[in-house]
Amino acid sequence: MPPKLKLVYFNIRGRGELIRLTLHAGGVVFTDERIPYEEWAVRKNQAPNGQVPYIVVDGKMYGEVLPIVRFIGKKCGLLGKSEEDQVYVEILLEQIHKFRDQLIRPKIDSMLNKGQKEFLLKKLREEEIPKFLTRVEEALKISRSGHILGGEVIVVVVVVVVVVVVVVVVVVVVVAAAAAAAAVVVVVVVVVVVGVVVVVVVAVVVVVVGVVVVWNG
Ligand SMILES: N[C@@H](CCC(=O)N[C@@H](CS)C(=O)NCC(=O)O)C(=O)O
């Protein structure tokens, strides 16, 4: 029986979303528990490190986003095949996680005053976000597969198309052969029936002619 997995986070995307997406990408069935903010004061004591997100696997709790994503990614074969792919996945994980923190900081960092928040937001809008998205676009252009890393999906699509074509061809051939076989059976039956009829008719004719000849002496 596969282990029971529960993700515990708030009812927002936030830091928990990377884990949710990884679980969905890996096809893992999981319980998505979302703690209402009002309950957090009570629940905080039960959380590992006193924070969310965390996962519970077969009753054991594990905190920290990136180790959790690596853990699930490894189990589901999402961390890259070659060592080069794996280091690239690690780099992307770190960059995306840091970028997310950067994006959210002007909204949640209570140590920043209004002017500092506006400065950071402007920097994000005009420099950081375009820089990050340009890097993503460049990586997509190089990979050409529609994914930053790995052409597996394209390969899978090709394999699926080939398999479907082969299956269709096989089915058509089998059906045609069956039809041909059925036709042969029909022909054989017709030939046998016609043959029997001809033999019977000839026999009857022979008997009748013989009887008549004998009869007429
Ligand atoms: N380093 C941790 C940070 C987790 C974190 O900051 N969690 C926040 C929510 S996004 C939290 O639990 N805040 C409530 C609290 O600290 O009491 C990770 O990446 O998992």
Side-chain angles (χ1 to χ4, degrees):
M1 201 170 83
K4 280 203 185 108
L5 195 149
K6 180 164 77 166
L7 168 65
V8 183
Y9 192 56
F10 296 129
N11 190 20
I12 55 170
R13 289 199 286 269
R15 279 196 169 85
E17 195 67 359
L18 189 55
I19 303 175
R20 286 194 192 107
L21 292 174
T22 311
L23 286 165
H24 283 295
V28 179
V29 178
F30 69 103
T31 307
D32 189 359
E33 187 185 347
R34 296 169 183 242
I35 304 176
Y37 287 124
E38 317 82 80
E39 290 177 20
W40 178 237
V42 177
R43 297 288 303 268
K44 189 172 168 66
N45 298 332
Q46 300 155 10
N49 321 321
Q51 289 194 310
V52 280
Y54 65 89
I55 56 168
V56 188
V57 186
D58 281 340
K60 281 193 187 149
M61 292 190 278
Y62 306 89
E64 287 295 327
V65 174
L66 290 186
I68 294 173
V69 168
R70 286 192 192 97
F71 169 74
I72 299 159
K74 194 168 181 189
K75 287 214 176 290
C76 301
L78 297 171
L79 294 187
K81 290 200 173 82
S82 66
E83 286 179 355
E84 289 75 14
D85 281 1
Q86 283 163 18
V87 77
Y88 197 34
V89 170
E90 285 292 336
I91 291 167
L92 290 170
L93 266 181
E94 293 288 340
Q95 285 181 344
I96 290 168
H97 198 57
K98 281 202 184 102
F99 186 58
R100 200 210 73 88
D101 281 349
Q102 225 179 322
L103 283 178
I104 205 78
R105 191 168 165 229
K107 204 174 162 194
I108 62 161
D109 192 338
S110 54
M111 304 296 278
L112 298 171
N113 64 34
K114 198 165 172 260
Q116 288 167 323
K117 283 184 184 177
E118 273 164 15
F119 173 78
L120 280 183
L121 277 173
K122 189 169 182 298
K123 196 158 182 272
L124 271 171
R125 254 196 319 267
E126 292 173 6
E127 292 172 35
E128 304 300 341
I129 295 176
K131 232 181 353 190
F132 183 82
L133 292 180
T134 305
R135 283 214 307 272
V136 171
E137 280 175 359
E138 291 303 322
L140 282 172
K141 261 188 232 156
I142 293 167
S143 86
R144 292 201 191 147
S145 66
H147 299 263
I148 289 182
L149 185 69
E152 287 83 2
V153 172
I154 298 294
V155 174
V156 167
V157 168
V158 172
V159 170
V160 168
V161 169
V162 169
V163 169
V164 167
V165 168
V166 169
V167 168
V168 168
V169 169
V170 169
V171 168
V172 167
V173 168
V174 168
V175 169
V184 168
V185 170
V186 169
V187 169
V188 169
V189 169
V190 169
V191 167
V192 168
V193 170
V194 170
V196 168
V197 170
V198 169
V199 168
V200 169
V201 169
V202 169
V204 168
V205 169
V206 168
V207 168
V208 169
V209 170
V211 167
V212 170
V213 169
V214 170
W215 190 264
N216 289 330

